[in-house]
Amino acid sequence: MAQFKIYGRDHVLRPLRTRLSDTVHTAAVDVLGLPTAKRFHRFFPMDEEHFPTPQGRSERYTVIEVLMFAGRTVATKKAFYQRLYRDFETDLGIQAIDLEITILETPRHDWGIRGQAGDELTSSYRVEQ
């Protein structure tokens, strides 16, 4: 299980929303092993006042927070970062300097999904990779 929060400037994020979602999802499927049918993305387009650009970044500055089950290796997470950096530049024209990614991992028992604790669910995909 993984949920994605994507923050950026309104005038940048809105026109790219579908392509951005596809780019993130493809990387998550290919690298993290998420099922193709599982796409949990939330978008937070903001105006300049509520999403200031840090020094050295452009107006295309984007922040992605990933909340997911604990268990993936450091190598897998680093491969996911690198895939996003590459694909954001290639597919969306957003350079690595303008993309920040944070992964927040929690044990399965800290998730409540479909009326059950996450550690009681049968998963169709492998988390430990």
Side-chain angles (χ1 to χ4, degrees):
M1 179 66 174
Q3 294 185 359
F4 297 82
K5 296 178 185 177
I6 303 164
Y7 303 85
R9 291 271 180 93
D10 182 66
H11 70 279
V12 174
L13 202 57
R14 284 187 192 275
L16 292 176
R17 197 198 69 71
T18 299
R19 289 176 43 214
L20 202 149
S21 180
D22 290 344
T23 299
V24 169
H25 189 63
T26 299
V29 169
D30 292 351
V31 180
L32 299 178
L34 295 182
T36 304
K38 304 278 184 176
R39 186 185 297 227
F40 298 100
H41 300 172
R42 305 297 177 261
F43 293 87
F44 298 86
M46 302 173 148
D47 60 28
E48 184 175 349
E49 177 185 1
H50 294 103
F51 195 74
T53 302
Q55 185 175 9
R57 307 310 199 287
S58 79
E59 66 178 12
R60 297 177 71 78
Y61 177 65
T62 305
V63 175
I64 299 176
E65 293 178 358
V66 184
L67 181 60
M68 65 184 188
F69 288 159
R72 289 175 179 86
T73 66
V74 170
T76 296
K77 291 180 274 190
K78 286 183 176 184
F80 181 64
Y81 300 145
Q82 291 308 311
R83 172 69 178 267
L84 286 178
Y85 289 131
R86 184 195 77 198
D87 291 354
F88 264 59
E89 187 160 352
T90 302
D91 300 345
L92 305 168
I94 297 175
Q95 297 180 0
I97 190 77
D98 282 326
L99 179 60
E100 292 188 14
I101 307 155
T102 303
I103 293 177
L104 305 166
E105 295 181 288
T106 57
R108 289 181 187 209
H109 65 265
D110 285 342
W111 287 69
I113 304 169
R114 297 186 311 270
Q116 297 180 19
D119 62 343
E120 296 171 358
L121 293 173
T122 302
S123 180
S124 63
Y125 60 96
R126 191 168 158 240
V127 172
E128 295 77 16
Q129 54 179 339

